[in-house]
Structures are given as structure tokens and as C-alpha cells.
Amino acid sequence: MTALTFTLKAPPPERLDLSSLVPARLQRLSRAEIERLPVGTSRRALKLADLFAVSGADPVELRFEGGSERFDQVGAHLADGRILVDGDVGQRCGLDMAGGDIEVRGDAGPFIGAGATGGTLVVHGNAAEKAGGAVHGGRYGLAGATLVIRGDAGPRAGDRMRRGLMLVGGATGDHAGSRMIAGTLIARSVGAEPGLGMRRGTIAVGTHGTLVPTFMPSGAGDLIFMRLLRRAVGKHHLDLAKMLPDDPFRFVGDQAALGKGEILVCG
Amino acid sequence: MEALRAAFRLAQASGAALDGSDLDGAYSELSVLAASGAMATTPAEARARADLLLLVGRATDHAVTDFTCAGTPPRQAAGTERRVIALGGIRAGAEAMPAPAGLVPTLGLLRAALASRPSARPEHADVARALKGARFGVVLYDPAELGEMGVDMVLGLMRDLNATTRFSSCALVEPAARLVVAVSAWTLGQAPRSGLGRGVPEHDPWRFNAERQVCSGEADTLVWVHPSVPPPAWTRSLPALALLADPRGDEADIVVAVAAPGRDSAGTLWDAERATMTFRPATAPRTDRPAAAVILDALTERVTMERGHPC
């Protein structure tokens, strides 16, 4: 069976809520019922067929031909299956997902991977603020899933991250890993004040902006952990894996909070 | 308050999104509150009971701080002397605590000093001792100045201190912002930056940020309801109606002069000192200007009639 495909007919006139387009829900619906799913977010009450041409048959593999920064909540609550977006997505992609794979071949809006406990998200372009970070009122950012951003990420990447692996092939904005609770965030470079308020967890970077004074240098040492980390990262991003040495320079903090986190400088 | 209630009725009738005119400070506080809670008090309680006031940044020079610091606290714990510390600012009668690293990092260093962590600085030891020794301390801060990360640091400091003593925070938020948050809470059950496009209130501070919606082209019309503050420049890119008390006339496509509540007409406003709503009689009554609520309710009636269903 070919992937169930949604081909965008024209740029959406408003933000769309695409959270209903996940295999667990679509498997129970006929083609006509799928075409009538509400996706609009205004009083226009737009249905799926108003914006997309539907083709293909396999509801476990979904494909969006064309994307938009107005595509909100793509793959939210995804439990299994695969979603491919040939374009951009808006905010909250992969929100609270528990499994499966999401691939975005463009840019992603804010809060990608917020609360995601399992599965893998890959963004080929850039991601906006709070990638892998918590939404307003959400307890956690990334919470066990793997998030790979091949381009840059905005400020506060990994905010309140709880568990899992987040990789940024380019640069992040300021305050990467802010209020991190646990997990691993690796980026080629990060902006000012990384790890502000972090309790536990690991941030590994090539270069970094100003550190807050509540991070303390603890020297360089040969860490066996780095070999394991390199292997894990290499499955998703070879260039970042190559950036990780055996003996990074380590800062511990944030001692304003619990102080059990670390920033590993790999440059 | 009546104008806000009428604005909410119009939004419900038209499926609009609602935002406050100056909510950045309020949202810096609300977002941390939603994530991890807060220990908070009012300026009136701080004035009456606090034996230690920590003023952060520009809170050192704020009208509410003047009110809080004035006079002798009538209900202060027996045997205590009030101490006022100005972090990163200067205020007559307050001890200055410099913040050369910046306000947020210095708050972090203070937390490190309280926990006796290695990054603690000796110059913060005295203030840390004073904070720990307070019977009821209060931190006054401006969340718009500190941002979300700074508020998180202040409220983290509250959590640390409340393990052994009583300490609270007092955010200096614009009164109009406090009022819109209260009206939104009792009308929608949620904070502003909510949308009613799908018939039920949806709260999403990113999606329903009015400036973002206007600048991205998602909004097609704007109604500005703040009699004393003209709409900002970003509102000029789309058709707009502004209800203003003292208009020039060129602030928007359509400008209606309305009564200023508390000046031209009686009204219910936010009392920043007691942190509650309060009735204010007109100080210079005039009857030639309509209340903003009257204009908004007329619009709601028209919108409802054109959409074909009753209010």
C-alpha cells in the first residue's frame, strides 16, 4: 500500500490543527470521513478536503506533500507509524508523542517535541524557539524522545527537558537547556547563558556564549561515557558525533538550582 | 472592567482572539506560575508585615514600592527591625547590593550562597544570612524587566527560602494587565491570549499573541480597547478600530472618543496596592462621551444579527 498522502492545494488561509491526522485515528475512518475531519481553527470551520487532496491508502504511513508554518500539531500524540512532511510545520509538532517517526523536510515552528516521551523527530531545516522545550503550563520539554535538528534552533532549546536526546547540527539561541531536569542536549554551538537554572542533565557543545557564574569549571578528563555517547549520537548525526572528544572540558551547574548538571565543551 | 467584559462579549460573538495590551510582564510571571507555582503576596500585606524587603532592579524606583516601604509596619513580627535591600539599584533608606554580573545571574549567586554551594561569593554572605533570618520577607520585582528566566530565578529563591522561613514575592505588573487576566479568568476560565474561533475558549499564549497574529498576517481586523493607551505601531498594518479617551484622531482607521473610567465616568479599575478591583467615582464627570462598553455592545449586537443567531 502507498502512504496515505495529503497534498496541499493552496497556502492555508489560517493556522491549521492537524493533530487528528495520526495513524491511530485514521485507521478507523473511511476516506470520506477523513476528508471531513475538521482542521481549521477559526469560525470558517475548514475541513481537510477544503485544503488537501487525499490519495494513497496506508494509514500507518502519512505523507504531506507541501508544508506551511501554519501546520500546527503535526503528529501530536503520535503513538506509532510514520509521518513525513515535505515542507515546513508550525508549532507543537510531535507534542506529547509516545512513539513512531516524524520527518520534516523544511523548518519547524516553536515547541517541537514538547512533552514527547518516545519516538524520533527529524527536522532537516531550522527550528524556532523552545525546540524540545515545554509549552505554557506543560510540565516538561522533551521527555524521552529523540529530536534531531539539522539546522539551527531558536532560544531556550531544551527548556525543562526531562529525558531523551536532542541534537542540533547548527547553533542554538540563548539559554539552551534552560531549567533542564535531565536528558542530553548536543549542539555545534549555543548562545549566551546555556543551562541557566538546569538541575541535572548534560549539554555538550562545540562553542558557547557567556556562562552564568553559577557554573563551575571542573577540568578535563577522559570520560568513558563520551565513547558511548558518540556511538548513540552517530546513529542520528555523524558530524556531531565526530565533534565529541574523549576528554571534554567540564563545567558543573547550575548551582543556583540543584547543580547536578554539566556543560561539556568539546571545541 | 465593563469595557473588558463588553470586549469579551464581542469576541465570543465574532470568534475573535483576545490579548491584553501590555501582557509581556504578566506573562513572564504567568508562565512560571503555570509551570512550577509561586509564593505570592500583595503590596498591602508586604507593607503591613514584612521585616525584610528585597527590591530587584527597577522595583527600587516604583510607585508600589514607595507604598510598600512607607511607614512603620503595623503587623511586623515582634522584636524585628525592617531591613530593605536594593539588588541592582539604589533607593534612599535601602542597603545597596550591586549586581555587576546582571540581575538574573546575581539572583542565582544568591541562591548558591543560601545553599552554600562552591560558586557562592563571600560578598553575598551577609544578604544570604539576612534572607534566611527574616521572619516574613518579600521580594518585589518587575517581571517585564526580568523576563521568564528571571522570574523563574526569583520564584526558585522563594522555594529555597520557604524551606526554613516565610518568604513571598510581589510582581509589579501593569494594573490594566492584572485586570484583563482577572476578567479573562472568570469569563473564559483561562488567561487572555485565548481564541474563540472554534466556539470554545482555547488558551495558547504563542498562537494568540496579538502582535504575532497581526505581523504574520493571521489577523484581518483589530479592535483596540484601552482608553488611556494608544495602539502601538504594529497595529497600523490592518484595519483597526480604537476606543480612546483622549484621541488625536489618527491612531487607527476608525477612532472613537470614549469616557475614561475613573475620570470622565465612574468605573471599576485595578488597585495595584491592594491587588484587587475597586470602584472609582469620576474625578471630572462628563456625559458627552459614551462608555467603551456601549460601543462594543452595539458592535456585538450587529455582529450577532449578521451571523444570524442570538447572543
Side-chain angles (χ1 to χ4, degrees), chain A residues 155-235:
Chain A
R156 308 276 297 276
D159 176 61
R160 295 182 68 81
M161 183 174 167
R162 178 70 183 86
R163 192 177 288 127
L165 179 63
M166 178 171 172
L167 308 175
V168 182
T172 75
D174 293 345
H175 299 140
S178 56
R179 308 186 294 182
M180 235 170 120
I181 302 159
T184 304
L185 164 60
I186 302 173
R188 177 73 56 191
S189 73
V190 293
E193 300 186 340
L196 181 63
M198 77 186 287
R199 296 168 63 79
R200 302 183 201 84
T202 298
I203 301 174
V205 299
T207 61
H208 59 83
T210 314
L211 290 181
V212 286
T214 38
F215 272 87
M216 297 289 288
S218 75
D222 191 7
L223 304 174
I224 293 171
F225 159 73
M226 294 304 287
R227 287 160 216 163
L228 301 172
L229 183 63
R230 206 158 42 229
R231 197 179 309 158
V233 172
K235 291 175 189 168

Coordinates of all heavy atoms in Angstrom, one line a residue, chain A residues 155-235:
Chain A
P155 N 16.0 30.3 20.6 CA 16.4 30.4 22.0 C 15.6 29.4 22.9 O 14.6 28.9 22.4 CB 16.0 31.8 22.4 CG 15.0 32.3 21.4 CD 15.3 31.5 20.1
R156 N 16.2 29.1 24.0 CA 15.6 28.2 25.0 C 15.4 26.8 24.5 O 14.4 26.1 24.9 CB 14.2 28.7 25.5 CG 14.3 30.2 26.0 CD 14.7 30.3 27.4 NE 13.8 29.6 28.4 CZ 12.7 30.2 28.8 NH1 12.3 31.4 28.4 NH2 11.9 29.5 29.7
A157 N 16.2 26.3 23.6 CA 16.1 24.9 23.1 C 16.3 24.0 24.3 O 17.2 24.2 25.2 CB 17.2 24.6 22.1
G158 N 15.4 23.0 24.4 CA 15.5 22.0 25.5 C 15.1 22.6 26.9 O 15.4 22.0 27.9
D159 N 14.3 23.6 26.9 CA 13.8 24.2 28.1 C 12.9 23.2 28.9 O 12.1 22.5 28.3 CB 12.9 25.4 27.9 CG 12.3 26.0 29.1 OD1 13.1 26.4 30.0 OD2 11.1 26.1 29.2
R160 N 13.3 22.9 30.2 CA 12.6 21.9 31.0 C 12.6 20.5 30.4 O 11.7 19.8 30.6 CB 11.1 22.4 31.3 CG 11.1 23.6 32.2 CD 9.7 24.0 32.5 NE 9.0 23.1 33.4 CZ 9.2 23.1 34.7 NH1 10.0 24.0 35.3 NH2 8.6 22.2 35.4
M161 N 13.6 20.2 29.7 CA 13.8 18.9 29.1 C 13.9 17.9 30.2 O 14.6 18.1 31.3 CB 15.1 18.9 28.2 CG 15.3 17.6 27.5 SD 16.8 17.8 26.4 CE 17.1 16.1 26.0
R162 N 13.2 16.7 30.1 CA 13.2 15.8 31.2 C 14.0 14.5 31.0 O 14.5 13.9 31.9 CB 11.7 15.4 31.4 CG 11.5 14.4 32.5 CD 11.7 15.0 33.9 NE 11.6 14.0 35.0 CZ 12.5 13.2 35.4 NH1 13.7 13.1 34.8 NH2 12.3 12.4 36.4
R163 N 14.1 14.1 29.7 CA 14.7 12.9 29.3 C 14.9 12.8 27.8 O 14.3 13.6 27.1 CB 13.8 11.7 29.8 CG 14.5 10.3 29.7 CD 13.6 9.2 30.3 NE 13.4 9.3 31.7 CZ 12.2 9.3 32.3 NH1 11.1 9.3 31.6 NH2 12.1 9.4 33.6
G164 N 15.8 12.0 27.3 CA 15.9 11.8 25.9 C 17.1 12.5 25.3 O 18.0 13.0 26.1
L165 N 17.2 12.5 24.0 CA 18.4 13.1 23.3 C 18.0 14.1 22.3 O 17.1 13.9 21.5 CB 19.1 11.9 22.6 CG 20.3 12.2 21.7 CD1 21.4 12.7 22.6 CD2 20.8 11.0 21.0
M166 N 18.6 15.3 22.4 CA 18.3 16.4 21.4 C 19.6 16.8 20.7 O 20.6 17.1 21.4 CB 17.7 17.5 22.2 CG 17.4 18.7 21.3 SD 16.4 20.0 22.2 CE 16.5 21.3 21.0
L167 N 19.6 16.8 19.4 CA 20.8 17.1 18.7 C 20.5 18.3 17.8 O 19.5 18.3 17.1 CB 21.2 15.9 17.8 CG 21.4 14.5 18.5 CD1 21.7 13.5 17.5 CD2 22.5 14.6 19.5
V168 N 21.4 19.3 17.8 CA 21.3 20.4 16.9 C 22.6 20.6 16.1 O 23.6 20.8 16.6 CB 21.1 21.7 17.7 CG1 20.9 22.9 16.8 CG2 19.9 21.6 18.7
G169 N 22.4 20.4 14.8 CA 23.6 20.4 13.9 C 24.2 21.7 13.8 O 25.4 21.9 13.5
G170 N 23.5 22.8 14.0 CA 24.0 24.2 13.9 C 24.1 24.8 15.2 O 24.5 24.2 16.2
A171 N 23.6 26.1 15.3 CA 23.7 26.9 16.5 C 22.3 27.0 17.2 O 21.3 26.9 16.5 CB 24.2 28.3 16.2
T172 N 22.3 27.1 18.5 CA 21.0 27.5 19.2 C 21.1 28.9 19.6 O 22.2 29.5 19.7 CB 20.8 26.6 20.4 OG1 21.7 27.1 21.5 CG2 21.1 25.1 20.2
G173 N 20.0 29.5 19.9 CA 19.9 30.8 20.5 C 20.4 30.8 22.0 O 20.9 29.8 22.4
D174 N 20.1 31.9 22.7 CA 20.5 32.0 24.1 C 19.7 31.0 25.0 O 18.6 30.5 24.6 CB 20.2 33.4 24.6 CG 21.2 34.4 23.9 OD1 22.2 33.9 23.3 OD2 20.9 35.6 24.0
H175 N 20.2 30.7 26.1 CA 19.5 29.9 27.2 C 19.2 28.5 26.7 O 18.1 28.0 27.0 CB 18.3 30.6 27.7 CG 18.6 32.0 28.3 ND1 17.8 33.1 28.1 CD2 19.6 32.4 29.1 CE1 18.3 34.1 28.7 NE2 19.4 33.7 29.4
A176 N 20.1 27.9 25.9 CA 19.9 26.5 25.6 C 19.9 25.6 26.9 O 20.7 25.9 27.8 CB 20.9 26.0 24.6
G177 N 19.0 24.7 27.0 CA 19.0 23.8 28.1 C 18.5 24.5 29.4 O 18.8 24.1 30.5
S178 N 17.8 25.6 29.3 CA 17.3 26.3 30.5 C 16.4 25.4 31.3 O 15.6 24.7 30.7 CB 16.6 27.6 30.1 OG 15.5 27.3 29.2
R179 N 16.6 25.4 32.6 CA 15.7 24.7 33.5 C 15.7 23.2 33.2 O 14.7 22.5 33.5 CB 14.3 25.3 33.6 CG 14.3 26.8 33.8 CD 13.0 27.3 34.0 NE 12.2 27.2 32.7 CZ 10.9 27.7 32.6 NH1 10.4 28.3 33.6 NH2 10.3 27.6 31.5
M180 N 16.7 22.7 32.6 CA 16.7 21.3 32.2 C 16.6 20.4 33.5 O 17.3 20.7 34.5 CB 18.1 20.9 31.5 CG 18.0 20.3 30.2 SD 19.6 20.3 29.4 CE 19.7 18.5 29.2
I181 N 15.9 19.4 33.4 CA 15.7 18.5 34.6 C 16.6 17.3 34.4 O 17.1 16.8 35.4 CB 14.2 18.1 34.7 CG1 13.4 19.4 34.9 CG2 14.0 17.2 35.9 CD1 11.9 19.2 34.5
A182 N 16.7 16.8 33.2 CA 17.6 15.7 32.9 C 17.6 15.5 31.3 O 17.0 16.3 30.6 CB 17.1 14.4 33.5
G183 N 18.4 14.6 30.8 CA 18.5 14.3 29.4 C 19.8 14.9 28.8 O 20.7 15.4 29.6
T184 N 19.9 14.8 27.5 CA 21.2 15.2 26.8 C 20.9 16.1 25.7 O 20.1 15.7 24.8 CB 21.9 13.9 26.4 OG1 22.1 13.0 27.5 CG2 23.3 14.3 25.7
L185 N 21.5 17.2 25.6 CA 21.4 18.2 24.5 C 22.8 18.4 23.9 O 23.7 18.8 24.7 CB 20.8 19.5 25.1 CG 20.9 20.8 24.2 CD1 20.2 20.6 22.9 CD2 20.3 22.0 24.9
I186 N 22.9 18.2 22.6 CA 24.2 18.4 22.0 C 24.0 19.4 20.8 O 23.1 19.2 20.0 CB 24.7 17.1 21.5 CG1 24.9 16.1 22.6 CG2 26.1 17.2 20.8 CD1 25.3 14.7 22.2
A187 N 24.8 20.4 20.7 CA 24.7 21.4 19.7 C 26.1 21.8 19.2 O 27.1 21.8 20.0 CB 24.0 22.6 20.2
R188 N 26.2 22.2 18.0 CA 27.5 22.6 17.4 C 27.9 23.9 18.2 O 29.1 24.0 18.6 CB 27.3 23.0 15.9 CG 28.5 23.5 15.3 CD 29.7 22.6 15.0 NE 29.2 21.4 14.3 CZ 30.0 20.3 14.1 NH1 31.2 20.3 14.7 NH2 29.6 19.3 13.5
S189 N 27.0 24.8 18.4 CA 27.3 26.0 19.3 C 26.0 26.4 20.0 O 24.9 26.2 19.5 CB 27.9 27.1 18.5 OG 26.9 27.7 17.7
V190 N 26.1 27.1 21.1 CA 25.0 27.6 21.8 C 25.3 29.1 22.1 O 26.4 29.5 22.3 CB 24.7 26.8 23.1 CG1 24.2 25.4 22.8 CG2 25.9 26.8 24.1
G191 N 24.2 29.8 22.3 CA 24.3 31.3 22.6 C 24.6 31.5 24.1 O 25.2 30.6 24.8
A192 N 24.2 32.7 24.6 CA 24.6 33.1 26.0 C 23.8 32.3 27.0 O 22.7 31.8 26.8 CB 24.4 34.5 26.1
E193 N 24.5 32.1 28.1 CA 23.9 31.6 29.4 C 23.2 30.2 29.1 O 22.0 30.0 29.5 CB 22.9 32.6 30.0 CG 23.6 33.9 30.3 CD 22.7 34.9 31.0 OE1 21.4 34.7 31.0 OE2 23.2 35.8 31.7
P194 N 23.9 29.2 28.6 CA 23.3 27.9 28.4 C 23.2 27.3 29.8 O 23.9 27.6 30.7 CB 24.4 27.1 27.6 CG 25.7 27.8 27.9 CD 25.3 29.3 28.1
G195 N 22.1 26.4 29.9 CA 21.9 25.7 31.2 C 21.5 26.5 32.3 O 21.5 26.1 33.5
L196 N 21.0 27.7 32.1 CA 20.5 28.6 33.2 C 19.4 27.9 34.0 O 18.4 27.5 33.4 CB 20.0 29.9 32.6 CG 19.5 31.0 33.7 CD1 20.6 31.4 34.6 CD2 19.0 32.2 33.0
G197 N 19.6 27.7 35.2 CA 18.6 27.0 36.1 C 18.5 25.5 35.9 O 17.6 24.9 36.4
M198 N 19.4 24.9 35.2 CA 19.3 23.4 35.0 C 19.6 22.7 36.3 O 20.4 23.1 37.1 CB 20.2 22.9 33.9 CG 21.7 22.8 34.2 SD 22.7 22.4 32.7 CE 22.3 20.7 32.4
R199 N 18.9 21.6 36.5 CA 19.1 20.8 37.7 C 20.0 19.6 37.5 O 21.0 19.4 38.2 CB 17.7 20.3 38.2 CG 16.8 21.4 38.6 CD 15.3 21.0 38.7 NE 15.2 20.0 39.8 CZ 15.1 20.3 41.1 NH1 15.2 21.6 41.5 NH2 15.0 19.4 42.1
R200 N 19.7 18.9 36.4 CA 20.6 17.7 36.1 C 20.7 17.8 34.6 O 20.2 18.6 33.9 CB 20.0 16.4 36.5 CG 19.7 16.3 38.0 CD 19.2 14.9 38.3 NE 18.5 14.9 39.6 CZ 17.2 15.3 39.7 NH1 16.5 15.6 38.7 NH2 16.6 15.3 40.9
G201 N 21.4 16.7 34.0 CA 21.4 16.6 32.6 C 22.8 17.0 32.0 O 23.6 17.5 32.7
T202 N 22.9 16.8 30.7 CA 24.2 17.1 30.0 C 24.0 17.9 28.8 O 23.1 17.6 28.0 CB 24.9 15.7 29.6 OG1 25.1 14.9 30.7 CG2 26.1 16.0 28.8
I203 N 24.8 19.0 28.7 CA 24.8 19.8 27.5 C 26.2 19.7 26.9 O 27.2 20.0 27.6 CB 24.4 21.3 27.8 CG1 23.1 21.4 28.4 CG2 24.5 22.1 26.5 CD1 22.7 22.8 28.9
A204 N 26.3 19.2 25.7 CA 27.6 19.1 25.1 C 27.7 20.1 23.9 O 26.7 20.0 23.0 CB 27.9 17.7 24.6
V205 N 28.7 20.9 23.8 CA 28.7 21.9 22.8 C 30.1 22.1 22.2 O 31.1 21.7 22.8 CB 28.3 23.3 23.4 CG1 26.9 23.3 23.9 CG2 29.3 23.8 24.5
G206 N 30.2 22.6 20.9 CA 31.5 22.9 20.3 C 31.9 24.2 20.9 O 33.0 24.4 21.4
T207 N 31.1 25.2 20.8 CA 31.4 26.6 21.4 C 30.2 27.1 22.1 O 29.0 26.6 21.9 CB 31.7 27.6 20.3 OG1 30.6 27.7 19.4 CG2 33.0 27.1 19.5
H208 N 30.4 28.0 23.0 CA 29.3 28.6 23.8 C 29.4 30.1 24.1 O 30.6 30.6 24.0 CB 29.2 27.8 25.1 CG 30.4 27.9 26.0 ND1 30.6 29.0 26.8 CD2 31.4 27.1 26.1 CE1 31.8 28.8 27.4 NE2 32.3 27.7 27.0
G209 N 28.3 30.7 24.3 CA 28.4 32.1 24.7 C 28.7 32.2 26.2 O 29.1 31.3 26.8
T210 N 28.4 33.4 26.8 CA 28.8 33.6 28.2 C 28.1 32.6 29.1 O 26.9 32.3 29.0 CB 28.2 35.0 28.6 OG1 28.5 36.0 27.6 CG2 28.8 35.5 29.9
L211 N 28.9 32.1 30.1 CA 28.3 31.2 31.1 C 27.9 32.0 32.3 O 28.6 33.0 32.6 CB 29.3 30.1 31.5 CG 29.7 29.1 30.5 CD1 30.7 28.1 31.1 CD2 28.5 28.3 30.0
V212 N 26.8 31.6 32.9 CA 26.5 32.3 34.2 C 27.5 31.9 35.3 O 28.1 30.8 35.2 CB 25.0 31.9 34.6 CG1 24.0 32.6 33.8 CG2 24.8 30.4 34.7
P213 N 27.7 32.7 36.3 CA 28.8 32.5 37.3 C 28.4 31.3 38.2 O 29.3 30.9 39.0 CB 28.9 33.8 38.0 CG 27.6 34.5 37.8 CD 27.1 34.1 36.5
T214 N 27.2 30.7 38.1 CA 26.9 29.6 38.9 C 27.2 28.3 38.2 O 26.8 27.2 38.7 CB 25.4 29.7 39.3 OG1 24.6 30.2 38.2 CG2 25.2 30.6 40.5
F215 N 28.0 28.3 37.2 CA 28.6 27.1 36.6 C 30.1 27.1 37.0 O 30.8 28.2 36.8 CB 28.5 27.0 35.1 CG 27.2 26.4 34.6 CD1 26.0 27.1 34.5 CD2 27.2 25.0 34.4 CE1 24.9 26.5 34.1 CE2 26.0 24.4 34.0 CZ 24.8 25.1 33.9
M216 N 30.6 26.0 37.5 CA 32.0 26.0 38.0 C 32.8 25.0 37.1 O 32.4 23.9 36.8 CB 32.0 25.4 39.4 CG 31.3 26.3 40.4 SD 32.2 27.8 40.8 CE 33.6 27.2 41.7
P217 N 34.0 25.5 36.7 CA 34.9 24.6 35.9 C 35.3 23.4 36.8 O 35.6 23.6 37.9 CB 36.1 25.5 35.5 CG 36.1 26.6 36.5 CD 34.6 26.8 37.0
S218 N 35.3 22.2 36.2 CA 35.8 21.1 36.9 C 36.9 20.3 36.1 O 37.1 19.1 36.4 CB 34.7 20.1 37.4 OG 34.2 19.4 36.3
G219 N 37.4 20.9 35.1 CA 38.6 20.3 34.4 C 38.2 19.4 33.3 O 37.0 19.1 33.0
A220 N 39.2 18.9 32.6 CA 39.1 17.9 31.5 C 39.5 16.6 32.0 O 40.4 16.4 32.8 CB 39.9 18.4 30.3
G221 N 38.8 15.6 31.5 CA 39.2 14.2 31.9 C 38.8 13.2 30.9 O 37.9 13.5 30.1
D222 N 39.3 12.0 30.9 CA 39.0 11.0 29.9 C 37.7 10.3 30.4 O 37.7 9.7 31.5 CB 40.1 10.0 29.8 CG 39.9 9.0 28.7 OD1 38.9 9.3 27.9 OD2 40.6 8.1 28.5
L223 N 36.6 10.6 29.7 CA 35.3 10.1 30.2 C 34.8 8.9 29.3 O 34.6 9.1 28.1 CB 34.2 11.2 30.1 CG 34.5 12.5 30.9 CD1 33.5 13.5 30.6 CD2 34.6 12.2 32.4
I224 N 34.7 7.7 29.9 CA 34.2 6.6 29.1 C 32.9 6.8 28.5 O 32.5 6.4 27.4 CB 34.2 5.3 30.0 CG1 35.6 4.9 30.4 CG2 33.5 4.1 29.3 CD1 35.7 3.9 31.5
F225 N 32.1 7.6 29.3 CA 30.7 8.0 28.8 C 30.7 8.6 27.4 O 29.8 8.4 26.6 CB 30.2 9.0 29.8 CG 29.0 9.8 29.3 CD1 27.8 9.2 29.1 CD2 29.2 11.2 29.1 CE1 26.7 10.0 28.7 CE2 28.2 11.9 28.6 CZ 26.9 11.4 28.4
M226 N 31.8 9.3 27.1 CA 31.9 10.0 25.8 C 31.9 9.0 24.6 O 31.3 9.3 23.6 CB 33.1 10.9 25.7 CG 33.1 12.1 26.7 SD 31.6 13.1 26.5 CE 31.9 14.0 25.0
R227 N 32.5 7.9 24.8 CA 32.5 6.8 23.8 C 31.1 6.3 23.5 O 30.7 6.1 22.4 CB 33.5 5.7 24.1 CG 34.9 6.2 24.0 CD 35.9 5.3 24.7 NE 37.0 6.2 25.3 CZ 37.8 5.8 26.2 NH1 37.7 4.6 26.8 NH2 38.7 6.7 26.6
L228 N 30.4 6.1 24.6 CA 29.0 5.6 24.5 C 28.1 6.6 23.9 O 27.3 6.3 23.0 CB 28.5 5.2 25.9 CG 29.2 4.1 26.7 CD1 28.7 4.0 28.1 CD2 29.1 2.8 25.9
L229 N 28.4 7.9 24.3 CA 27.6 9.0 23.7 C 27.8 9.1 22.2 O 26.9 9.3 21.4 CB 27.9 10.3 24.5 CG 27.1 11.5 24.1 CD1 25.6 11.4 24.4 CD2 27.6 12.8 24.8
R230 N 29.1 9.0 21.8 CA 29.5 9.2 20.4 C 28.7 8.1 19.6 O 28.2 8.4 18.5 CB 31.0 9.1 20.3 CG 31.5 9.8 19.1 CD 33.0 10.1 19.2 NE 33.8 9.0 19.8 CZ 34.7 9.2 20.8 NH1 34.8 10.4 21.3 NH2 35.3 8.2 21.3
R231 N 28.7 6.9 20.1 CA 28.0 5.8 19.4 C 26.5 6.1 19.2 O 25.9 5.9 18.2 CB 28.3 4.5 20.1 CG 28.0 3.3 19.3 CD 28.2 2.0 20.0 NE 29.5 2.0 20.7 CZ 29.8 1.2 21.7 NH1 28.9 0.4 22.2 NH2 31.0 1.2 22.2
A232 N 25.9 6.6 20.3 CA 24.5 6.9 20.3 C 24.2 8.0 19.3 O 23.2 8.0 18.6 CB 24.0 7.2 21.7
V233 N 25.0 9.0 19.4 CA 24.8 10.2 18.5 C 25.0 9.9 17.1 O 24.3 10.3 16.2 CB 25.7 11.4 19.0 CG1 25.6 12.6 18.0 CG2 25.3 11.9 20.4
G234 N 26.0 9.0 16.8 CA 26.4 8.7 15.4 C 25.3 8.0 14.7 O 25.2 8.1 13.4
K235 N 24.3 7.4 15.4 CA 23.2 6.8 14.7 C 22.3 7.9 14.0 O 21.5 7.6 13.1 CB 22.3 6.0 15.7 CG 23.0 4.8 16.2 CD 22.1 4.1 17.3 CE 22.9 3.0 18.0 NZ 22.2 2.6 19.2

